């Protein structure tokens, strides 16, 4: 028995609008697709506002009650080419106050949803708990959520307007990841700091760079111009967080 | 004056077929899109079989002669949503014989074009010169070429059938990147070896894993299940290649 079979159902229409940033803000909800990603949120104690499972898929035993829906309903809500059988809407959380001195990952105008999501996923895997997005992508956009593979469940995500720049970090230690001109990784001691990763096209704005006391450049002996932004950020995050004993 | 204005031109039709693996094999050509990526191949000494530049774009001064074409021609050839103004077809090279003892990066049934291309790009940036693809994606597929950002120009790319498995590597040192159960990075000394990265869904086949004397697992203190395959491979490649002095 289906709880919802028609893609014209009012709830389905409402959820499908969560593809758009404006409606996410208005409703205070974001979409998570796929049983594995949804499971990560549930395991971290999040409670879905809506949990829809396509009628041909099993509902995992440790999940809360789900609404059974038709394939057409899922297709209406999801933007995926091949929608998974599971869609949930979770409340967008209000993070606790930013703790500048504790450090974390700062994405400064990172624009590519795949890169941003991959960096969120990497931060969560490496135990980095605070992430700040200064301008750039919306962390609750479906493509970011998808690439982050459930990592948002474990992170404190701070969205800061680009107009504030790095001001909210006050005098916290900031380490800019730059393609050239910085120190190599072995120059840095382990410790609480913010790794600042800039946008794909233009890197970190000059006035923001001026606030970063440290600058890290990964050696690239192969002679090519650059690493992918998510790869460079992930290697830097790994090296700063983990290469030296605590 | 346009050399080619009609998307129905026979050369245009022929080049548009290079989106498909079968036609790449038959013609012995692959497509590279965008001035930066094409420039990387030209700078590395590659000579294009065809070089097309949309009429509204400049031809860089150090490029060989290009054919001026219409926007419709580029759109016919490219699979990109927003095609760049530059398309080239280069001959698929025959790599020199595999040198197992020199080491490199082995992608074992990596299926995602973005992951494979990102790993090729990382290998080139880190100075890894030999790459072997065992099953999995076609390295000359447009999405792989795009994600590799010109890296194919600098790599010796060996395509090996999955049926051969790791046999072509004979007794070369093989280090499998595994999500669990391997040694942490500081266990490994720098040296010539193959880093074997498995497919996104199932990792490395058991019978291939049995041939890998070394197994590396990246610590993930954050408690999440896994890193993105391209990120994990990139971090491992960086650590194995570069964390210790030669």
């Amino acid at each position: 028995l289906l709880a919802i079979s028609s893609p014209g159902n009012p709830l389905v229409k409402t959820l499908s609008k969560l593809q758009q940033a404006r409606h996410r803000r208005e409703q205070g909800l974001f979409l998570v697709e796929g049983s594995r990603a949804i499971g990560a949120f549930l395991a971290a104690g999040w409670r879905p506002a809506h949990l829809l499972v396509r009628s041909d898929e099993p509902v995992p035993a440790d999940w809360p009650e789900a609404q059974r829906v038709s394939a057409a309903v899922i297709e209406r809500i999801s933007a995926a080419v091949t929608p998974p059988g599971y869609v949930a809407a979770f409340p967008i959380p209000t993070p606790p106050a930013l703790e500048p001195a504790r450090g974390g990952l700062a994405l400064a105008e990172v624009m590519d949803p795949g890169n941003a999501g991959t960096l969120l996923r990497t931060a969560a895997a490496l135990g980095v708990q605070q992430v700040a997005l200064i301008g750039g992508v919306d962390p609750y956009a479906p493509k970011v959520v998808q690439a982050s593979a459930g990592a948002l469940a474990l992170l404190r995500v701070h969205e800061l307007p680009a107009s504030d720049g790095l001001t909210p970090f006050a005098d916290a230690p900031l380490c800019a990841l730059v393609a050239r001109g910085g120190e190599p990784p072995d120059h840095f001691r382990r410790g609480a700091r913010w790794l600042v990763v800039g946008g794909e096209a233009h890197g970190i704005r000059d006035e923001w760079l001026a606030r970063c006391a440290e600058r890290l450049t990964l050696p690239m002996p192969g002679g090519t111009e650059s690493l992918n932004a998510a790869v460079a950020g992930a290697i830097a995050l790994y090296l700063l967080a983990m290469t030296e004993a605590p």
Side-chain angles (χ1 to χ4, degrees), chain A:
Chain A
L1 196 72
L2 291 181
I4 311 174
S5 59
S6 164
N9 175 287
L11 174 63
V12 175
K13 282 186 177 174
T14 301
L15 293 179
S16 71
K17 288 183 180 160
L18 295 177
Q19 294 289 340
Q20 298 159 53
R22 179 167 69 86
H23 289 281
R24 287 194 294 276
R25 300 299 150 191
E26 281 177 17
Q27 297 186 46
L29 296 174
F30 68 103
L31 294 172
V32 180
E33 302 188 28
S35 64
R36 192 177 274 198
I38 294 170
F41 283 86
L42 297 175
W46 290 50
R47 302 187 58 148
H50 304 282
L51 180 56
L52 311 185
V53 176
R54 203 172 55 207
S55 53
D56 61 331
E57 296 280 11
V59 180
D62 54 346
W63 281 27
E65 198 174 350
Q67 298 195 70
R68 289 304 201 156
V69 301
S70 67
V73 163
I74 296 271
E75 274 162 32
R76 173 73 193 271
I77 298 170
S78 173
V81 178
T82 313
Y86 302 82
V87 173
F90 286 97
I92 295 176
T94 304
L98 185 73
E99 295 185 71
R102 291 192 59 186
L105 171 65
L107 305 185
E109 298 182 315
V110 169
M111 307 306 288
D112 181 84
N115 284 341
T118 300
L119 285 166
L120 295 175
R121 180 175 177 181
T122 306
L126 298 180
V128 173
Q129 290 169 346
Q130 279 193 115
V131 174
L133 292 96
I134 307 154
V137 296
D138 177 341
Y140 299 103
K143 284 185 183 174
V144 178
V145 175
Q146 192 204 342
S148 67
L152 285 168
L154 299 171
L155 298 168
R156 290 195 263 149
V157 177
H158 300 271
E159 295 179 79
L160 306 173
S163 54
D164 283 5
L166 299 180
T167 306
F169 297 87
D171 54 357
L174 300 172
C175 176
L177 177 62
V178 292
R180 305 151 266 280
E183 302 289 340
D186 58 11
H187 175 85
F188 298 88
R189 304 232 130 249
R190 185 182 169 126
R193 59 163 70 78
W194 288 88
L195 175 68
V196 184
V197 177
E200 293 81 359
H202 305 294
I204 302 167
R205 291 189 201 189
D206 286 344
E207 72 257 36
W208 298 355
L209 212 45
R211 292 186 71 115
C212 298
E214 298 178 328
R215 297 184 191 192
L216 165 66
T217 294
L218 297 173
M220 283 181 275
T224 58
E225 196 172 68
S226 70
L227 292 164
N228 166 279
V231 162
I235 293 174
L237 206 57
Y238 185 96
L239 294 172
L240 291 182
M242 305 178 56
T243 46
E244 298 181 58

